[in-house]
Amino acid sequence: MSDGSPAARYLAAQSARAHPLTAAFAARQRFELDPFQVAACQSLEDGRSVLVAAPTGAGKTIVGEFAVHLAMREPGAKAFYTTPMKALSNQKFRELVDVYGADEVGLLTGDTNINGSARIVVMTTEVLRNMLYADSPALRGLQFVVMDEVHYLADRFRGAVWEEVIIHLHRSVRMIALSATVSNAEEFGDWLDTVRGDTDVVVSETRPVPLEQHVLVRGDLLPLFDERAGAAASQVNQELLRLRSPEGQQFSSDRRRDQRGSGRRDGDAHRNAQRGGRGGARAAYAPRMERIDRPEVVSLLARSNLLPAIFFIFSRVGCDAAVQQVRRSGVRLTTAEERTEIREIVEDRTRALAEEDLAVLGYWEWRDNLERGVAAHHAGLLPAFKEVVEELFKRKLVKVVFATETLALGINMPARTVVLEKLEKFNGEARVAITSGEYTQLTGRAGRRGIDVEGHAVIQWTESLDPQSVAALASRRTYPLNSSFRPTYNMAVNLIDQFGRDRAREVLESSFAQFQADRSVVGIARQAREKEQSLAGYADAMTCDRGDFAEYSGIRRDLSDLEKLNRNDRTAPAKIRQRRQNELQDLRRRMQRHPCHECPDRENHARWAERYWRLRRDVQKLRQQIESRTGTVARVFDRVVDVLSELDYVSVDSEGRTTLTAAGGTMRRIYGERDLLVAEALRRGLWDRLDAPALAALACCLVYEPRREGDGPGEYGLPRGAFRTALSETQELWAVLDDLERDHRLPGSEPVATGLATAMHSWARGMLLDRVLLEADMAAGDFVRWAKQTIDLLDQLSLVADAPLASTARDALDAVRRGIVAYSGV
């Protein structure tokens, strides 16, 4: 922000003259742009691409919006705005429609196609990847691509898509990569510069709204850091450290009485936090410190003027239970006027839902909770309900949201306060501590720009809480961005079709995965060279005028190793022990006859020899690491092509030229984790006899990923007839392909999952929602998500399969896309 001095005004004027488009755009914004935003916009105005890495809520998207603004200044120019999630795409679509009008903005998310030929199109990253491989006419005139949340390329399942887009976009297209703060932004920027050309890296670690960190101990908000030591010192509040001691396990009884009293003035807790919570711990202690329950925490935040708040609870059941706790307590956070407005918005946004489904979805209780100002937000919630919660929260009508961490991933839903009840979560296998990156992402929601002077992060005290560990989490703002890129069958056939095999290998070697591997190889190679120099020195030091001491010491090492093995392995068969005895006698004889054995300096030479062999072993390990990392992506690609060749998706001639077969042409248009299985099942006609509901059920088996092993009805509950036959043949095919992949040193895939097949079959047959959700044994939001993924696969089948299967796939798609699955809030 300008300091108003003559020098500052002169510099600002100079900058405005050099970058008039940035200056004019900035002047129209509600806030004065931060230096990092200005720098990034100026890079775009100068004709360069840009990587912007900044904290959550810092305003990175303004740079993407400037790129859209630049595109709209030129007749015929297009801008694509990509996001990792449909919910984010929907949100950005609505925002851009408000600015440019419905005629100029489109939305493509796989299951939604609105105005796809518009000059501004918002889409999921997978849609753009598919357009690039298909050489879609929509790419003509494309000048800017915004990749929001680009750090998703570290995602284990979907990350490769981001790298594919970055590599394949024409170099004339300018890219705006928007990332959370990552510790290796410069490395990522260097790679972008290598594959895309001129790319500037703009990094900001400054939050636009400062974050105050508190620990909630009973009814007191104690600062995490000692304010007297200064924020930069990050020194933990001594009072919290004292609470860890046995005599500090409870506040005084007079403070507890004060908390229970009804006459506490508004803002006391907040002011106590601001002044360091002094006087909190006194002489009278109880045996242990109890946590206060959620309604009390909500009331405390309300009294302290710290709402709206998001409580992050790492469990959907926990989120729903928290809403029920607050409901039962009678807490109401809204006025009569707010309740009326909430009801009007809810009824308007859910008007398209069928009347008979409302009770099944828990609509009435959900609406009543919203009118109280409280809601849950998690993946199990119906998408329409989640959209309503987000809208009401942004309008400050809902005051408290209990959410899983998915809310932290990009949705524009800032709060004044973020509450973390625990600093660990279940990762599917065990309870693990959250990382500093996750902590930063979660607490990044606290503090609304232009509304709050500061945001507040509140950690609830538990008996096991270590203030030093919390401080370490809060102090580390960044995490590394590591590639998860790996070649797939679909990727391989598309690359071979576009470039040929040799060029395809070069393309893959330009991936961020290989860039990172090569960078690490540079450091390893330097270590190896340094050790090899030391190795030469050790070889000189053990030189013996009697003979080759390296040879002699090698015999001694072999003898020592064999003696050790013989001592430790006394259970070996007599035949093996006898063979070892013969080898030992031979080695002793060779050692005694070696000319170096009689050298008077033998033991001195031997000490240098021992160092030599130890260092040589280290050098060999480093060389193996270099070998394993160099060209790793291309080697995996070769294995993928070998599998494709064996199955006749590609043909390789006598000179090594690789071309697609007809089956390979079909594979080009099949995307997803099961690309090979789907392509091979189509070629073998395994699904030709299925009707629409059975095909929907089988497609569901290919996309569904159970949360736990053994989810679902088992063989007993599955549809009978042609479905059973097709499923059995598909499972046998999966086993054959899995063996083939493992034979070629590829990781293979998970077995086909049947847990949702019965429910999807029922849904496609038109069964009512309550029965289907009972069969699925899952929340409505989860069912909708898997149904939409089923629709994605059925859509692909309708395009690539031969008749009549293509027609069946279209019928199945229409049968699944009904009711709550068809509803979209966009």
Side-chain angles (χ1 to χ4, degrees), residues 616-634:
R616 183 172 165 176
R617 187 172 60 243
D618 292 345
V619 170
Q620 285 173 337
K621 283 182 182 174
L622 291 172
R623 289 293 172 201
Q624 284 168 1
Q625 284 184 49
I626 292 168
E627 176 61 28
S628 67
R629 296 186 189 196
T630 305
T632 48
V633 177

Side-chain angles (χ1 to χ4, degrees), residues 434-452:
I434 64 172
T435 65
S436 58
E438 288 167 330
Y439 183 91
T440 302
Q441 193 84 355
L442 295 168
T443 57
R445 293 277 149 222
R448 298 163 300 174
R449 190 167 187 169
I451 301 173
D452 298 320

